[in-house]
Amino acid sequence: MKIHEYQGKELLSKYNVPVPNGKLIHSADEAAEAARELGTSVVVVKAQIHAGGRGKGGGVKLAKSPEEAAQYAGQILGMTLVTHQTGPEGRLVKKVLIEEGMEIANELYMGILIDRENSQVMIMASEAGGMEIEEVAAATPERIIKQHVDPLIGVKPYLARKIAFALNLRGAALKQAIPFIINLYDCFVKEDLSLLEINPLVVTKDDRVLALDAKMDIDDNALGRHADTYAYRDLDEEDPNEVEAGKYRLNYIQLDGNIGCMVNGAGLAMATMDIIKHTGGEPANFLDVGGGADEEMIENAFRILVVDPKVKALFINIFGGILRCDLLANGVVAAAKKLNLKIPVIIRMEGTNMEEGHRILNESGLNFIVGNGMKDSAKKVVQAIQ
Amino acid sequence: MSILVDEKTRLLVQGITGREGQFHTGQAIEYGTNVVAGVTPGKGGQSVLDVPVFDTVKKAVDKTKANATVIFVPPAFAADAILEAADAGIALIVCISEGIPVIDMVEVYHYLEGSDSRLVGPNCPGVISPGKAKIGIMPGHIHKKGNVGIISRSGTLTYEAVSQLTALGIGQSTCVGVGGDPIIGTRYIDVLKMFQKDRTTKAIVMIGEIGGTAEDEAAYFIKKNISKPVIGFIAGQTAPPGRRMGHAGAIISGGQGTAEEKMKIMKKCGIKVCKSPADIGKTVAKYL
């Protein structure tokens, strides 16, 4: 689960990682007041959306007076911010963070993530802060420091020192960077983050070390033990169909095509999208109903798929293992009758109780098209929309 | 022969009294697996389908000489269950549970490195040696005893491949689901080494998906060390970047882990890569 910058900074503060003073506002008037309260000669006005590249898109402005802060906040609030991460449709800005401005001496990068290759947590740091780290990694990989962390020991002062020295920090900045790194790691592990990026991490001219930005991804699998951070979830940032699917424990991702897919198992669901594309069609979604699906889940999955007006045909591809084909067939028949379905439905079923499943479909009086294997079914669904 | 699982497997089921645990214990027994014990803390002394239940893994191992375990406990407690099994010295731990927090797995992985136990999974369908025994949730009846080894990150997609093979009359030596999570115990390379040594296995099917670089590492390993034909498929050729496609590990991040890149490396390393998932069976038939 992604969270906003201001929420990330709240979390960092809890772990004594220094962040600039700031205030979240929802209107231009509040912006002027917040700027006055902060009292610095310059304040930063920052759009809060779940996407990077906000500065380039016009979502981050420097204001030299409370009036200017109000003016910028007025422009940013309600704007549709388009960045390289939002897609062309952009994202509506509903919240703005007003932060104290500061004189920056040095911009660094620090990220913590799970390194899958080594099955360990890895800290990445670079003197090339403020830039896209992927670009730094591609152009000048030698400018990135990578440090794995032993999970049973964590980040001890020596390890933090090693990173801080490698970043060429000295004097007062070095002294502050050590607890900064230790606390950052602490936050990563205790909050079950899967990604934490501070870009830029700044050293100010008066030698303070602060997290000027905060990007966090919380491990979805761990949300059960973080009721407090789960409250940070912002449904405005999510696709409404995906939110609806999530209520029924369905794994759903919206795509651009017109063939709705319902599959059991993530790998088979991806392979189903692939074969549709190979056959000349375009999948409208990824949908994994999981191994333990019941009739009700199937019905809900069906409803979510057909509610999308761009879906012109449905492809149901089920390999019955734990999920029995007869149960699936009953769910599909019930849903099709209830929803008064008009679009063609191609069903491919294999595995446990397949014969019984086919019998239920045939006797339903509904016009399902039964496919024989993945290839044949994909062909039939692509033909059905032509 | 086969790898990991066979007639000598003495299986323990952790979480045997739960709905999933109970159902799949029945399925495993029906398939011919020797299920010797179950564990559910606090329910020691009971029995499920005539299998004795113990409070701790240690006690179960002492009493029944179990040498493998399958874990069906809820994800919040699954990491702990793996550690308990390793602590009791069980050689093979298969964890089916999906949704274990990744930080928990970082610790588990580290602990297992210093132990003699092998972990398969988590978030996997398990391991089956057709005609001998199965540990996991795969439907036994679609399999056929034979000489193709399968390694996969996915469950139902593996069943798809198995069913294509069986329909062509081609049997399997062992099918190993390594799991769809970012951190897993046994990787492609570990299984590849075992298949290379196993005399029954004549060809290997490797089914991967987007996310991470495990398939790339495996491909380079195959080029150097595997003399048997390897047939490959990568799911998610049409997946959008930055989205988690069902499996926690199936995500293209920072342009890395795309199907295209993986398929290119696999081809370069001599693996027969199928573009379409419908072609896995017939490609195996061609190279077997």
Side-chain angles (χ1 to χ4, degrees), chain A residues 14-177:
Chain A
K14 243 168 77 178
Y15 289 86
N16 296 317
V17 175
V19 297
N21 292 319
K23 203 164 180 232
L24 186 77
I25 56 108
H26 301 85
S27 73
D29 294 347
E30 283 179 327
E33 200 187 309
R36 263 180 227 115
E37 258 175 53
L38 288 168
T40 48
S41 57
V42 173
V43 296
V44 191
V45 182
K46 303 177 93 174
Q48 299 295 295
I49 57 166
H50 286 183
R54 291 169 299 168
K56 277 184 200 156
V60 180
K61 302 270 187 206
L62 287 180
K64 296 197 179 70
S65 66
E67 294 71 33
E68 215 175 54
Q71 186 197 332
Y72 285 137
Q75 289 165 8
I76 292 173
L77 280 165
M79 85 186 273
T80 302
L81 187 53
V82 179
T83 82
H84 67 285
Q85 284 183 4
T86 60
E89 71 280 8
R91 207 66 69 69
L92 182 68
V93 183
K94 291 187 176 168
K95 297 173 210 166
V96 161
L97 178 64
I98 308 288
E99 269 189 351
E100 59 170 327
M102 51 193 57
E103 292 200 69
I104 294 165
N106 203 356
E107 285 188 294
L108 309 170
Y109 167 90
M110 192 160 294
I112 309 184
L113 51 95
I114 303 288
D115 179 20
R116 298 168 64 156
E117 252 174 81
N118 288 291
S119 305
Q120 277 183 324
V121 174
M122 181 166 78
I123 300 178
M124 281 171 64
S126 176
E127 286 186 77
M131 300 156 66
E132 285 291 323
I133 200 65
E134 285 87 1
E135 285 170 27
V136 179
T140 50
E142 70 283 358
R143 297 190 73 191
I144 294 182
I145 302 155
K146 292 181 179 176
Q147 178 64 55
H148 286 103
V149 182
D150 182 316
L152 303 187
I153 296 187
V155 175
K156 295 287 188 216
Y158 81 90
L159 202 72
R161 262 198 319 271
K162 190 173 155 192
I163 297 167
F165 274 115
L167 286 169
N168 278 315
L169 294 172
R170 296 290 180 270
L174 176 79
K175 271 193 193 138
Q176 292 176 61

Side-chain angles (χ1 to χ4, degrees), chain B residues 45-216:
Chain B
Q46 301 182 4
S47 70
V48 170
L49 305 166
D50 291 332
V51 175
V53 179
F54 298 86
D55 284 322
T56 68
V57 176
K58 182 74 174 67
K59 218 169 187 177
V61 170
D62 285 349
K63 293 274 189 236
T64 67
K65 298 194 173 58
N67 56 14
T69 178
V70 60
I71 296 175
F72 285 108
V73 309
F77 313 108
D80 189 54
I82 299 171
L83 293 173
E84 184 183 357
D87 180 58
I90 293 198
L92 178 66
I93 304 168
V94 177
C95 184
I96 308 298
S97 314
E98 174 176 4
I100 303 180
V102 69
I103 281 287
D104 293 2
M105 280 311 299
V106 169
E107 274 183 16
V108 166
Y109 188 90
H110 193 84
Y111 179 81
L112 291 177
E113 277 190 318
S115 87
D116 296 326
S117 300
R118 163 174 299 288
L119 170 67
V120 175
N123 189 10
C124 78
V127 185
I128 181 169
S129 294
K132 296 177 179 170
K134 75 164 197 159
I135 303 183
I137 58 173
M138 66 292 281
H141 66 91
I142 62 169
H143 296 80
K144 175 184 160 76
K145 193 172 176 173
N147 52 19
V148 175
I150 302 185
I151 323 166
S152 171
R153 270 165 77 180
S154 142
T156 46
L157 185 54
T158 314
Y159 312 161
E160 172 70 35
V162 166
S163 116
Q164 286 178 25
L165 290 174
T166 301
L168 293 168
I170 302 170
Q172 306 91 42
S173 53
T174 303
C175 308
V176 185
V178 293
D181 272 3
I183 296 187
I184 50 174
T186 296
R187 300 174 179 218
Y188 287 121
I189 294 179
D190 305 311
V191 185
L192 284 166
K193 280 182 198 161
M194 291 183 242
F195 277 142
Q196 176 68 19
K197 266 198 219 148
D198 178 46
R199 264 181 272 152
T200 308
T201 303
K202 302 291 182 215
I204 302 165
V205 175
M206 180 172 122
I207 300 171
E209 61 192 29
I210 54 160
T213 54
E215 290 84 358
D216 311 2

